[in-house]
């Protein structure tokens, strides 16, 4: 039996690589990406998955905690959040007998699906744009940090995939309700508070929609309102807001959360920062002026590219070339800003922000790249 398990350990890696390739072809075909483009994204994402794997073997981190997770010895709830992801890896390790390397490849598939969907949305937005803008989108898709943080064992790949699927479904919610439910379940599985935020922002978008008085608009609002009654308790419990009481105020809660993870070079002081600078820090720091080693250098270059990618499309707005669009702009903007505002107020470590910001940055990037000629791509995004 032990020999069989050892042989399976060896062959599980090429098997999962081929399985990931099959999933990539199928998902890429659904999003109408070329096979060459889908394969390129899968290979790129897998490359950074292997880089993260090598890093995890050398340095102890959260991936080893998740892989060695035992539900019997854990105090985490096993139905959502850290506990649920730990149970998932426990299941892969003990019932499918997958080694550490193979479990990495399983999570890599989730991140690849999210990246394929993200590529479809952005490429559709710039279909009639200049070559420069199209290349800028390519640079964003192939940013190392995006693939690096969405390819490891943990909550990030599942959360990233869930967020992107929800955004894709929100572009045409009536015809993509099944995909929205899949993305929402993935978020409830790993980060319930993000699922609650998406519901709230979709509610805002429906409320400010021009079709608010229509029968379908009222049904959508009722759907979000009723569903929130079931999602909100999980989100409150997961985020720690359930501890709020007369003796423990919101200010106390924020101050306590700011004190977490105050160890290491990435530690920052949030208390004295105004909110706009906290949000800028969350999205775009460390900057090129804060480079201390190779890791911060690579992260700073990524942040510089992201800052340019977000600022450049506003040049079209300044030129007055914005066109009308029925994209869910309220949802995209409110989700990216409210999410950043909330988490930037309680995150005191740049190592955490560079991972978690990819739950919100895609929505902001989709919003800014839709500023010009957005009306031209309306049909293609919904086709």
């Amino acid at each position: 039996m032990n020999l069989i398990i050892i042989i399976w350990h060896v062959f599980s890696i090429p098997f999962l690589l081929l399985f990931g390739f099959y999933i990539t072809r199928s998902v890429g075909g659904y999003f109408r990406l070329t096979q060459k483009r889908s394969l390129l994204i899968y290979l790129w994402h897998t490359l950074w998955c292997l880089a993260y794997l090598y890093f995890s073997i050398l340095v102890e981190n959260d991936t080893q905690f998740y892989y060695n997770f035992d539900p019997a010895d854990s105090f985490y709830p096993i139905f959502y959040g850290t506990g649920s992801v730990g149970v998932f890896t426990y299941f892969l390790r003990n019932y499918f007998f997958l080694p550490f390397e193979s479990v990495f490849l399983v999570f890599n598939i989730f991140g690849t699906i999210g990246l394929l969907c993200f590529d479809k949305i952005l490429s559709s937005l710039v279909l009639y744009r200049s070559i420069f803008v199209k290349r800028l989108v390519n640079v964003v898709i192939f940013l190392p940090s995006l693939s690096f943080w969405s390819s490891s064992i943990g909550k990030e790949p599942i959360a990233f995939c869930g967020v992107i699927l929800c955004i894709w479904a929100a572009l045409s919610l009536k015809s993509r309700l099944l995909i929205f439910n899949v993305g929402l379940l993935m978020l409830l599985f790993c980060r319930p508070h993000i699922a609650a935020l998406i519901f709230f922002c979709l509610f805002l978008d429906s409320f400010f929609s021009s079709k608010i008085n229509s029968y379908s608009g009222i049904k959508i609002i009722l759907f979000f309102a009723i569903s929130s009654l079931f999602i909100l308790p999980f989100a409150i419990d997961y985020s720690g807001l359930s501890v709020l009481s007369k003796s423990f105020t919101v200010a106390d809660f924020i101050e306590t959360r700011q004190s977490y993870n105050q160890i290491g070079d990435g530690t920052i002081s949030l208390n004295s920062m105004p909110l706009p600078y906290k949000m800028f820090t969350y999205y775009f720091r460390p900057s090129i002026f804060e480079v201390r080693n190779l890791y911060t250098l690579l992260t700073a270059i990524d942040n510089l590219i992201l800052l340019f990618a977000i600022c450049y499309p506003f040049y079209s707005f300044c030129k007055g070339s914005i066109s009308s669009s029925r994209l869910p702009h309220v949802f995209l903007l409110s989700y990216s800003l409210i999410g950043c505002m909330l988490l930037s107020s309680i995150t005191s470590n740049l190592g955490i922000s560079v991972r978690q910001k990819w739950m919100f940055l895609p929505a902001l990037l989709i919003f800014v790249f839709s500023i010009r000629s957005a009306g031209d791509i309306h049909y293609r995004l919904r086709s």
Side-chain angles (χ1 to χ4, degrees):
M1 180 65 181
N2 290 333
L3 179 61
I4 295 177
I5 293 178
I6 292 174
I7 294 175
W8 168 238
H9 281 185
V10 174
F11 282 97
S12 65
I13 296 176
F15 171 79
L16 285 170
L17 285 172
L18 291 175
F19 180 71
F21 172 71
Y22 171 77
I23 295 296
T24 298
R25 282 190 58 188
S26 302
V27 174
Y30 171 79
F31 290 124
R32 300 182 182 179
L33 300 174
T34 64
Q35 288 191 12
K36 181 179 179 181
R37 179 74 174 183
S38 300
L39 178 60
L40 178 62
I41 290 176
Y42 175 61
L43 292 177
W44 173 259
H45 201 271
T46 303
L47 174 66
W48 287 104
C49 174
L50 297 177
Y52 205 128
L53 172 62
Y54 178 73
F55 169 76
S56 298
I57 293 174
L58 294 179
V59 181
E60 184 177 355
N61 53 45
D62 290 345
T63 60
Q64 299 170 14
F65 162 77
Y66 282 113
Y67 182 74
N68 296 311
F69 186 89
D70 188 347
D73 300 330
S74 175
F75 58 87
Y76 290 102
I78 64 173
F79 298 107
Y80 56 89
T82 300
S84 63
V85 177
V87 169
F88 180 56
T89 58
Y90 176 84
F91 184 79
L92 294 175
R93 186 182 81 244
N94 289 275
Y95 292 92
F96 283 90
F97 305 104
L98 294 181
F100 185 63
E101 299 81 1
S102 297
V103 175
F104 252 90
L105 294 177
V106 172
F107 281 84
N108 178 58
I109 294 174
F110 287 105
T112 301
I113 293 173
L115 191 58
L116 289 169
C117 184
F118 190 36
D119 180 61
K120 167 61 179 179
I121 297 172
L122 287 185
S123 60
S124 300
L125 287 170
V126 300
L127 190 62
Y128 302 108
R129 305 287 292 276
S130 66
I131 296 296
F132 178 80
V133 175
K134 292 179 180 179
R135 289 178 178 173
L136 183 59
V137 164
N138 270 331
V139 171
V140 170
I141 291 296
F142 291 101
L143 279 176
S145 63
L146 173 55
S147 293
F148 185 78
W149 295 116
S150 62
S151 64
S152 66
I153 299 175
K155 290 178 283 190
E156 279 72 26
I158 301 175
F160 173 71
C161 184
V163 166
I164 297 298
L165 290 180
C166 285
I167 293 175
W168 165 255
L171 299 177
S172 182
L173 192 58
K174 293 179 182 178
S175 60
R176 298 174 184 165
L177 194 57
L178 178 60
I179 295 179
F180 178 78
N181 290 332
V182 171
L184 193 68
L185 285 174
M186 295 175 72
L187 289 174
L188 288 173
F189 178 77
C190 60
R191 288 202 166 106
H193 58 303
I194 303 301
L197 179 60
I198 284 181
F199 256 87
F200 174 73
C201 294
L202 281 172
F203 171 79
L204 287 181
D205 190 84
S206 300
F207 184 80
F208 288 104
S209 172
S210 59
K211 296 183 178 181
I212 188 65
N213 294 322
S214 67
Y215 178 68
S216 59
I218 294 175
K219 286 197 300 182
I220 291 176
I221 291 177
L222 289 176
F223 169 74
F224 289 141
I226 295 174
S227 300
S228 298
L229 296 176
F230 297 94
I231 296 176
L232 196 57
F234 294 99
I236 290 176
D237 184 56
Y238 177 82
S239 62
L241 289 173
S242 57
V243 302
L244 292 180
S245 64
K246 293 182 180 179
S247 60
F248 197 80
T249 64
V250 175
D252 295 329
F253 171 77
I254 293 176
E255 185 177 351
T256 301
R257 291 300 297 266
Q258 286 178 349
S259 66
Y260 293 167
N261 301 294
Q262 291 280 2
I263 300 176
D265 294 337
T267 300
I268 55 178
S269 176
L270 295 174
N271 295 326
S272 59
M273 290 184 185
L275 180 59
Y277 189 53
K278 288 180 183 179
M279 297 173 66
F280 180 87
T281 295
Y282 190 82
Y283 272 157
F284 304 115
R285 287 182 62 190
S287 68
I288 202 69
F289 304 105
E290 300 173 295
V291 173
R292 298 181 180 179
N293 49 45
L294 179 60
Y295 168 74
T296 54
L297 174 62
L298 296 176
T299 305
I301 293 174
D302 265 20
N303 288 335
L304 186 63
I305 294 172
L306 284 170
L307 184 60
F308 177 79
I310 287 174
C311 292
Y312 178 80
F314 283 101
Y315 174 70
S316 301
F317 176 79
C318 295
K319 287 175 39 176
S321 56
I322 188 171
S323 62
S324 61
S325 171
R326 288 177 288 175
L327 293 176
H329 283 152
V330 174
F331 163 68
L332 295 171
L333 191 58
S334 61
Y335 171 71
S336 59
L337 295 184
I338 294 176
C340 179
M341 179 182 67
L342 294 176
L343 290 193
S344 65
S345 297
I346 60 176
T347 302
S348 57
N349 193 293
L350 292 179
I352 296 176
S353 66
V354 296
R355 291 182 296 172
Q356 293 185 348
K357 70 183 182 182
W358 283 110
M359 293 187 297
F360 308 111
L361 263 178
L364 184 59
L365 287 165
I366 292 168
F367 173 80
V368 296
F369 276 111
S370 68
I371 286 179
R372 187 183 182 188
S373 301
D376 294 335
I377 48 81
H378 169 72
Y379 171 77
R380 291 183 176 270
L381 280 174
R382 288 162 170 75
S383 60

